Structures are given as C-alpha cells and as structure tokens.
Amino acid sequence: MSETPYIDGFVIPVRKADKDAYLAMAKKAAAVWRDHGALEVIECWGDDVPDGKVTSFPMAVKLQPDEVVVFSWVTWPSKAARDAGNEKVMADPRMSPEKMEMVFDGKRLIFGGFTLLNRG
C-alpha cells in the first residue's frame, strides 16, 4: 500500500505592490522544496476573497487595505517525506535571510499540515 500524500497549506498577507517580489521569492523557495522532496508547490494570488462577518481569509491574516491574500500549498509524497524535507529546507543555505528576503509579514502567516482526504 502506498503512502498518503501530505499537504502543507499557507495563507499569507502580501502587499499588492510586492506581487512581483513575492513571486520571485516563491519561485526560489519552490526550487528548494522540490530539491528536498516536494512533489508540487502552488501559489495563488487572491482575486475573489471576500471579507466575512464571522470568519474569512482577510480576517484571519488581519489583511490591510494595501494587501492581498495569497493561498499556497506544497504537496509531499507522505508526512515522513514532508518532515524530513522541511528539516532539510530549513537548513538549506538558499533559505537564509541573506539569500531569501521575506516580502510579507511572517507574524500573520497561517500554516498547517494536512493529510490528503480526497482528490476529485
């Protein structure tokens, strides 16, 4: 029996003016993740992300008027591959602050790991 794919998901507030810089950073990070076992890295720029009355993506990241919500995920072959891969990613010199400028407020980033339930 094969292992279940594992997904790391992210919701990130990014300044609209930093879209190109974010994409450049995301492409560099994706290469590092893939080098350490990730199968796929997806980045989505918010286009139709409404404010909510009780909960919403904008509320969750305390979105500012000059920002947009980015939704992204990394697909791994398994949770074990993700755990080993993320350890290597964090130790990879290409992810150091000198090489990888963060163009978003990391304090408002939301992330979590998920076991794949269904792929329709």
Side-chain angles (χ1 to χ4, degrees):
M1 184 169 150
S2 66
E3 294 186 75
T4 302
Y6 199 79
I7 311 296
D8 279 328
F10 306 89
V11 180
I12 310 163
V14 178
R15 287 183 52 231
K16 294 171 187 172
D18 289 338
K19 183 178 184 179
D20 291 338
Y22 177 82
L23 182 57
M25 180 207 68
K27 286 180 178 181
K28 288 180 189 176
V32 176
W33 275 320
R34 283 191 309 271
D35 285 351
H36 295 299
L39 301 173
E40 183 177 48
V41 180
I42 303 292
E43 299 286 344
C44 305
W45 189 257
D47 178 59
D48 184 13
V49 186
D51 288 323
K53 294 186 190 245
V54 178
T55 63
S56 67
F57 284 124
M59 291 170 72
V61 297
K62 299 181 181 177
L63 197 69
Q64 302 299 307
D66 65 336
E67 295 175 328
V68 68
V69 173
V70 170
F71 178 61
S72 63
W73 65 93
V74 180
T75 304
W76 298 91
S78 65
K79 186 172 191 297
R82 175 265 207 162
D83 291 345
N86 270 341
E87 189 173 316
K88 292 174 186 170
V89 166
M90 292 302 116
D92 193 305
R94 294 174 290 174
M95 295 296 281
S96 71
E98 298 80 33
K99 301 251 174 143
M100 187 71 67
E101 179 186 357
M102 302 311 266
V103 296
F104 58 87
D105 182 355
K107 293 176 187 166
R108 293 185 289 137
L109 172 141
I110 298 170
F111 65 93
F114 301 85
T115 301
L116 183 65
L117 185 60
N118 182 47
R119 181 176 281 148

